[in-house]
Amino acid sequence: MANSILRARAPGRIDFGGGGTDVAPYCVEHHGIVVNAAINYYAHGTLEPRDDREIHLNAIDLGQTEAAARVDALTPEGPLDLIKAGIQRVAPDRGFTLSTYSDIPLGSGLSSSAAIAVLTCSLCTHYKTGSFDQAAMGHLASAAERDDLNHWTGKQDQFAAALGGINFLELVGDEVAHQRADLTERTIRQLEKNLLLVFTGKAHLAGDIHLDILADYKNKTGTVLPGMHGLKEVGRLMRAALRKGDLRGFAALLNDNWGYHQMLHPSCSTPELLHFVQTGLEHGALGAKVCGAGGGGCVVYYAKDNERPRLVSAIKKLGGHILPFSFDTEGVVVW
């Protein structure tokens, strides 16, 4: 049991290919393939031990506080529902004060919620046992969100936050086979040089569209199932392209992913998002896709060599906010 103050951080992520195939029932019936990368935008947390069993929560960026007499008195609802669900999954046997904030923009599609969930589970597990396993925290955070809060989610976001790095994930039912990409330094430098991450200024989808997607998937008469198959193939091909250092192929697959993504639900795309993507492709981008669920949030572009400044200028004229980033290689850490 920790007796000193614990601090932690967990990264957000960019989903490059295959996102959505990590969600049941698709990953159960067909298995999913996802390529994503953790980036240096973080959820942060500080856990201060108490001598009683009380739990005090302070979400600094949300302006929300809450307290309970003990872990089992927490009610997993409201703005802090994911934090409380994570705490109850771990169930530390001594009280604490947990303060959190995030520099991952809310509504960006960069997985701020999974980062907070992984952060909470890791801090509480370290507090309770003195250590934690990163992959286990990915599973635990996913269970808190999916099973306890009944959110429709897969595991790619949680594993990016837990493991860090550029990841190749295969998702079969509840299992996650994860491989670090182990790309060459040249490939990583080229990615960081030519990728551009832009927040459109409008929050990504927060509506309850998953029932529509599930209905379409199950009746197999619409576009969801072929869209999912296409996304999975993009993940497979993108993994191969990155291993070979074929970044033109990688960029083209960003375009393919965005095309298949739009087959999942009409609200994944908006005229504004299409304008952002098309403007980028007309001003130096080889490839582009929307991050996360779509409907808003961030767009990630891959620029032609030396065309990034022209791309930046065009996107700024649309009102896009450039989010400079580098890859996170550590995943969740507690100190």
Side-chain angles (χ1 to χ4, degrees), residues 128-178:
K128 183 176 181 179
T129 69
S131 65
F132 66 92
D133 174 80
Q134 286 182 315
M137 295 302 100
H139 286 296
L140 196 63
S142 173
E145 185 167 3
R146 182 191 64 193
D147 301 336
D148 301 343
L149 299 179
N150 200 32
H151 292 176
W152 194 57
T153 181
K155 291 191 175 183
Q156 68 126 331
D157 295 349
Q158 292 83 357
F159 268 73
L163 301 176
I166 299 172
N167 287 291
F168 301 150
L169 305 173
E170 291 210 31
L171 305 107
V172 184
D174 214 36
E175 299 302 312
V176 182
H178 51 90

Side-chain angles (χ1 to χ4, degrees), residues 89-326:
R89 272 275 159 179
V90 180
D93 47 16
R94 185 163 58 124
F96 57 87
T97 297
L98 175 61
S99 300
T100 58
Y101 67 92
S102 178
D103 48 40
I104 307 167
L106 286 175
S108 61
L110 302 179
S111 193
S112 59
S113 61
I116 281 287
V118 168
L119 173 93
T120 301
C121 291
S122 301
L123 269 171
C124 289
T125 300
H126 197 288
Y127 182 52
K128 183 176 181 179
T129 69
S131 65
F132 66 92
D133 174 80
Q134 286 182 315
M137 295 302 100
H139 286 296
L140 196 63
S142 173
E145 185 167 3
R146 182 191 64 193
D147 301 336
D148 301 343
L149 299 179
N150 200 32
H151 292 176
W152 194 57
T153 181
K155 291 191 175 183
Q156 68 126 331
D157 295 349
Q158 292 83 357
F159 268 73
L163 301 176
I166 299 172
N167 287 291
F168 301 150
L169 305 173
E170 291 210 31
L171 305 107
V172 184
D174 214 36
E175 299 302 312
V176 182
H178 51 90
Q179 295 177 314
R180 279 295 177 90
D182 292 329
L183 306 182
T184 65
E185 280 297 319
R186 179 185 182 280
T187 298
I188 293 172
R189 287 172 183 163
Q190 279 292 96
L191 285 170
E192 290 192 333
K193 174 177 180 283
N194 289 332
L195 284 169
L196 182 72
L197 184 62
V198 175
F199 186 37
T200 63
K202 180 180 178 183
H204 71 139
L205 285 173
D208 190 18
I209 66 167
H210 70 273
L211 293 177
D212 291 342
I213 294 175
L214 279 173
D216 188 302
Y217 175 87
K218 289 176 179 177
N219 66 35
K220 295 180 170 55
T221 59
T223 59
V224 168
L225 185 58
M228 288 284 194
H229 286 332
L231 290 167
K232 176 182 172 179
E233 181 66 3
V234 166
R236 186 185 70 80
L237 293 173
M238 187 175 283
R239 180 173 61 187
L242 287 172
R243 282 174 169 159
K244 291 188 297 185
D246 175 13
L247 295 182
R248 279 190 166 269
F250 166 80
L253 288 163
L254 293 177
N255 294 327
D256 291 345
N257 198 97
W258 175 228
Y260 289 122
H261 184 171
Q262 293 173 78
M263 294 172 67
L264 302 185
H265 196 272
S267 61
C268 291
S269 179
T270 66
E272 292 81 7
L273 283 178
L274 291 171
H275 190 41
F276 264 93
V277 169
Q278 189 58 37
T279 298
L281 295 174
E282 292 171 355
H283 292 82
L286 287 170
K289 71 174 290 292
V290 174
C291 297
C298 285
V299 178
V300 61
Y301 303 86
Y302 187 82
K304 301 174 188 176
D305 260 345
N306 302 317
E307 291 280 4
R308 197 174 185 274
R310 183 164 76 99
L311 175 60
V312 167
S313 177
I315 293 305
K316 283 184 174 179
K317 288 177 182 176
L318 296 182
H321 306 282
I322 309 301
L323 299 180
F325 75 93
S326 58

